[in-house]
């Protein structure tokens, strides 16, 4: 964010981000848009002139969090009547003016596709509630990427929205239809980021591997081709992407995992369930066996790849047998880590009206599944001990002379490296596995 306004004159913006990495990216872009208006970011909500809550609607709990946080803002708003409070993101999109009705202290409500208009909204030149899906592309109206803070790893949105309509999911409604950003914009944003010291880019999209677009060669490119083009960006050492759908793992993308050294050996590929009955009821449009065969092909291309996934337990109609099938799939794949959630019925989705699994039973299944995933995560981490891996230093560690960064497999690694700087990409021999991190030594 630019800091050309004098510190005294600058207004302060506090952003709280809920939910996924796309929201983290959107928050950065909103900070940049507000930076052009003279706002600087603050980490202290109490000194803010504007508080922006960038929300998540994926599960009921995530959405309710907004209202409890807004309730807690009431004293601050009474103390500072000029304080502007904005709600952005997927709850804003889904609930619109209902938010202001329930919480009149909210000044602005802005959906994920309209946040480029935030400055105009603030100036009163645009409606205070904006949740349409405009024909214009917000990225064309946002300031160029700026260094919010010196960080060697960055996100880059290449695709938004989802046409898959899984029966449990609000994303197709809150984020809209699948849209791919054009190749030239993506390559330009990547070059801008690298020019600012970024060495690792995570490509983002709700259905990122469904990305497609016309290449500079006039041909239709798929996501694998885009990754190859990005890999030609000098200075870009690492590429990752998230989140993918199994049905969009095209051949050229699988091949890229074997052929592109910058593409990290890590893939998040949500499967949600290991039961064909439940996969069908979820409208996932693939079977457990198809997922397993796909994993085999990916591992053939990149044998050392680490796989992660998402699971939902207690989806309507899930029996003990369905749950056992999910556990078996997990055993068969062996995940590096995974996210697992108890099913949360979301208004407006096809599964909303369906009879729910008993809550206590779903809790018990979730515990059992998480215990298995925790064992696999531990095994995956322990399997790193003795290996030499790349680590990109992101910040100083807790101890003097220590640095912490991410390994090729996205594990946090602590390294004694008094001479090193943030942004160094070094070779590290892993010596120890702690519960949520690894410890390693610099390889000379
Ligand atoms: N209930 C529980 N989990 C959900 N997810 C999406 N919708 C729901 C829901 N209604 C999970 C899925 C998805 C992840 C981002 O959130 O596992 O992959
Ligand atoms: Fe939601 Fe399914 Fe689309 Fe993922 S693929 S965003 S779970 S509808």
């Amino acid at each position: 964010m630019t800091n050309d306004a004098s510190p005294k004159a600058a207004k302060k913006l506090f952003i709280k981000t809920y939910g996924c990495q796309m929201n983290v990216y959107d928050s950065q872009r909103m900070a940049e848009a507000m930076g052009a208006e003279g706002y600087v970011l603050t980490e202290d909500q109490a000194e803010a002139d504007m508080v922006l809550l960038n929300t998540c609607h994926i599960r009921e709990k995530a959405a309710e969090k907004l209202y409890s946080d807004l309730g807690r803002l009431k004293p601050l708003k009474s103390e500072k009547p000029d304080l502007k409070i904005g709600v952005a993101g997927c709850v804003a999109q889904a609930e619109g003016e209902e938010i202001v009705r329930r919480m009149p202290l909210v000044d602005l409500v802005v959906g994920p596709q309209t946040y480029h208009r935030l400055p105009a909204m603030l100036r009163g030149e645009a409606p205070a509630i904006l949740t349409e899906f405009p024909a214009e592309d917000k990225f064309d109206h946002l300031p160029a990427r700026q260094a919010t803070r010196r960080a060697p790893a960055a996100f880059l949105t290449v695709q938004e929205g989802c046409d898959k309509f899984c029966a449990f999911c609000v994303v197709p409604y809150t984020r809209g239809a699948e849209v791919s950003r054009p190749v030239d914009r993506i390559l330009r944003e990547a070059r801008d980021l690298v020019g600012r010291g970024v060495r690792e880019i995570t490509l983002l999209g709700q259905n990122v591997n469904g990305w497609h677009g016309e290449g500079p060669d006039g041909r239709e490119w798929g996501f694998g081709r885009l990754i190859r083009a990005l890999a030609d960006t000098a200075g870009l050492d690492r590429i990752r992407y998230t989140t993918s759908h199994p049905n969009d793992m095209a051949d050229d993308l699988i091949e890229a995992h074997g052929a592109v050294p910058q593409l990290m050996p890590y893939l998040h590929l949500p499967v949600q369930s290991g039961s064909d009955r439940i996969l069908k009821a979820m409208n996932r449009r693939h079977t457990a066996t198809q997922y397993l065969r796909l994993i085999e092909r990916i591992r053939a291309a990149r044998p050392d790849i680490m796989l992660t996934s998402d699971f939902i337990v207690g989806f309507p109609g899930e029996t003990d047998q369905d749950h056992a099938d999910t556990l078996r799939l997990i055993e068969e794949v062996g995940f590096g880590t995974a996210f697992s959630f108890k099913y949360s019925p979301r208004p407006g989705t096809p599964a909303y009206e369906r009879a729910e699994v008993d809550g206590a039973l779903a809790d018990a299944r979730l515990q059992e599944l998480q215990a298995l995933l925790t064992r696999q995560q531990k095994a995956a981490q322990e399997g790193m001990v003795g290996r030499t891996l790349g680590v990109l230093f992101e910040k100083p560690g807790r101890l003097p002379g220590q640095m912490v960064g991410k390994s090729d497999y996205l594990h946090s690694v602590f390294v004694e490296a008094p001479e090193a700087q943030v942004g160094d990409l070094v070779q590290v021999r892993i010596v120890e596995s702690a519960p949520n991190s690894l410890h390693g030594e610099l390889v000379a």
Side-chain angles (χ1 to χ4, degrees), residues 58-59 168-170 270 272 310-312 341-346:
I58 198 97
R59 284 169 291 276
F168 50 81
C169 187
V170 292
Q272 316 293 357
D310 291 343
F311 294 91
I312 295 178
F341 313 98
K342 185 168 147 180
Y343 170 69
S344 168
R346 306 303 289 128

Side-chain angles (χ1 to χ4, degrees), residues 108-147:
L108 304 169
V109 176
V110 64
Q113 301 310 332
T114 32
Y115 65 71
H116 57 293
R117 304 196 61 199
L118 201 52
M121 293 167 76
L122 206 60
R123 289 193 300 261
E125 292 161 14
I129 299 174
L130 266 184
T131 54
E132 80 263 33
F133 289 106
E136 65 191 17
D137 178 352
K138 65 173 178 264
F139 295 114
D140 289 341
H141 299 269
L142 285 164
R145 295 306 303 273
Q146 294 161 23

Side-chain angles (χ1 to χ4, degrees), residues 28 87 95 111 215-216 251 267 273 275 291-293 295 320 348 380 437:
Q28 287 167 0
V87 174
E95 302 196 355
D251 293 346
L267 177 62
S273 169
S275 152
Y291 184 82
L292 293 169
R293 293 296 88 83
I295 298 297
D320 286 341
S437 61

Side-chain angles (χ1 to χ4, degrees), residues 353-367:
E353 301 290 343
R354 298 183 199 166
E356 279 178 55
V357 169
D358 173 73
L361 182 60
D363 284 334
R365 285 180 187 162
L366 184 62
Q367 269 192 14

Side-chain angles (χ1 to χ4, degrees), residues 239-241 244 249 253-260 263-269 291 294-308 333-337 380 384 387 389 408-411:
I239 301 172
R240 306 180 188 275
Y241 61 91
S244 302
M249 286 305 297
L253 177 56
I254 296 175
E255 278 162 28
H257 276 282
V260 178
L263 188 56
M264 290 291 101
Y266 179 102
L267 177 62
H268 183 63
L269 197 59
Y291 184 82
L294 177 61
I295 298 297
E296 276 172 14
R297 289 174 54 220
I298 296 165
R299 282 185 166 147
R302 183 76 206 235
D304 64 338
I305 200 161
M306 189 171 107
L307 292 153
T308 74
V333 175
F335 291 100
T337 182
M384 299 292 161
R387 291 183 62 182
L389 307 174
D408 301 336
Y409 298 94
L410 217 51
H411 288 123

Side-chain angles (χ1 to χ4, degrees), residues 153-367:
F155 294 130
L156 198 172
T157 292
V158 302
Q159 181 279 334
E160 276 190 273
C162 183
D163 298 338
K164 295 280 191 292
F165 292 92
C166 298
F168 50 81
C169 187
V170 292
V171 166
Y173 314 98
T174 54
R175 290 276 173 169
E178 281 182 25
V179 177
S180 296
R181 288 180 71 194
V183 177
D184 57 333
R185 317 284 166 82
I186 295 169
L187 296 180
R188 195 197 311 148
E189 192 169 328
R191 278 194 303 271
D192 284 355
L193 288 168
V194 170
R196 298 188 163 87
V198 167
R199 303 183 71 170
E200 168 177 321
I201 290 180
T202 301
L203 306 171
L204 295 181
Q206 268 88 30
N207 214 334
V208 70
N209 57 341
W211 180 92
H212 59 94
E214 191 186 296
D217 55 5
R219 296 188 185 206
E220 178 71 5
W221 282 14
F223 189 55
R225 184 70 189 80
L226 178 69
I227 287 176
R228 286 171 197 265
L230 281 161
D232 289 336
T233 309
L236 180 57
D237 297 301
R238 287 173 149 190
I239 301 172
R240 306 180 188 275
Y241 61 91
T242 198
T243 287
S244 302
H245 193 287
N247 291 358
D248 287 327
M249 286 305 297
D251 293 346
D252 77 324
L253 177 56
I254 296 175
E255 278 162 28
H257 276 282
V260 178
Q262 293 94 330
L263 188 56
M264 290 291 101
Y266 179 102
L267 177 62
H268 183 63
L269 197 59
V271 63
Q272 316 293 357
S273 169
S275 152
D276 288 346
R277 271 188 63 244
I278 295 298
L279 287 168
K280 192 157 199 300
M282 287 176 163
N283 192 33
R284 290 289 293 181
R285 299 171 208 250
H286 62 76
T287 63
T289 307
Q290 282 168 334
Y291 184 82
L292 293 169
R293 293 296 88 83
L294 177 61
I295 298 297
E296 276 172 14
R297 289 174 54 220
I298 296 165
R299 282 185 166 147
R302 183 76 206 235
D304 64 338
I305 200 161
M306 189 171 107
L307 292 153
T308 74
S309 198
D310 291 343
F311 294 91
I312 295 178
V313 302
F315 187 77
E318 188 188 70
T319 62
D320 286 341
Q321 183 57 52
D322 296 319
H323 177 60
D325 289 348
T326 301
L327 297 178
R328 206 185 50 216
L329 178 137
I330 295 173
E331 294 276 13
E332 213 163 308
V333 175
F335 291 100
T337 182
F339 299 99
S340 48
F341 313 98
K342 185 168 147 180
Y343 170 69
S344 168
R346 306 303 289 128
T349 61
Y352 183 59
E353 301 290 343
R354 298 183 199 166
E356 279 178 55
V357 169
D358 173 73
L361 182 60
D363 284 334
R365 285 180 187 162
L366 184 62
Q367 269 192 14

